[in-house]
Amino acid sequence: MRPVKPILALALLAGLGGAALAQSSPGQTQATPPQPGRPQADASPPASPQPAATDLRDYARILQEAEDQLRQAIQRSGSEPASNQQKAMTPARMDMKAAAQRVHGAVRRVPRELRGDALYEDAERAVREGITPLSMPLSLEDTDGAAQRVLGTVEKLRAEVARRAGA
């Protein structure tokens, strides 16, 4: 039998997917790395892709900007139908949905002093649930109603945050 060259030996090990190297000794457990697209054991909601607000005043400003964008998107959508003949969402409705999602992102930028507060928790849940009807081309009344509820929720949250900030 001929000796196996080192490079060939490495290639053979790599071909095995490193399974021989990845085996653990008895009694030893290996952590499974997170896999994209698969739910993880931690069921907490993912953090906002944007940094948290530095304080309540900053948070009120962030909420105000998102609120204004959603209000403008609702006005732009006017009486445009919720979907076209192919049952696809119309551009103005997609814009309104995107603005509502930005509101949710803004709400999730909660500063440390408000985390866990019922005010924040209730508003975040209401906005998250309010976005769902906007994801499906429904009737005009359903999408308008959902967008108005999201807007009302962020208005109340922002007003209370501003009050607490003394602004």
Side-chain angles (χ1 to χ4, degrees):
M1 180 173 227
R2 292 175 39 189
V4 178
K5 295 186 179 193
I7 293 179
L8 182 57
L10 288 174
L12 287 172
L13 281 175
L16 294 174
L21 295 174
Q23 290 180 351
S24 59
S25 58
Q28 187 180 29
T29 57
Q30 290 181 316
T32 304
Q35 297 176 359
R38 301 195 84 188
Q40 302 301 312
D42 181 13
S44 62
S48 173
Q50 297 292 322
T54 56
D55 57 24
L56 291 177
R57 285 181 190 262
D58 185 37
Y59 191 46
R61 180 193 53 78
I62 291 167
L63 293 173
Q64 181 68 61
E65 290 171 4
E67 178 185 328
D68 292 344
Q69 289 175 359
L70 179 56
R71 185 176 288 108
Q72 291 168 4
I74 290 170
Q75 290 171 349
R76 281 192 303 270
S77 69
S79 60
E80 185 175 283
S83 61
N84 61 22
Q85 291 177 346
Q86 291 79 29
K87 302 294 182 209
M89 194 178 292
T90 58
R93 296 294 160 162
M94 287 189 291
D95 182 42
M96 189 168 62
K97 175 188 168 194
Q101 289 171 329
R102 284 191 298 275
V103 163
H104 188 227
V107 168
R108 291 178 50 213
R109 292 181 64 185
V110 61
R112 184 176 316 241
E113 64 259 39
L114 204 55
R115 287 186 194 141
D117 188 297
L119 171 71
Y120 163 72
E121 297 294 331
D122 292 345
E124 191 279 332
R125 183 176 36 260
V127 169
R128 183 174 11 100
E129 291 170 356
I131 292 172
T132 303
L134 295 173
S135 298
M136 302 169 279
L138 302 170
S139 72
L140 190 60
E141 296 79 23
D142 289 340
T143 55
D144 284 348
Q148 288 295 337
R149 284 188 299 278
V150 169
L151 182 61
T153 299
V154 76
E155 286 173 338
K156 288 176 189 171
L157 175 62
R158 183 209 25 88
E160 180 58 23
V161 167
R163 186 192 68 74
R164 289 184 186 186

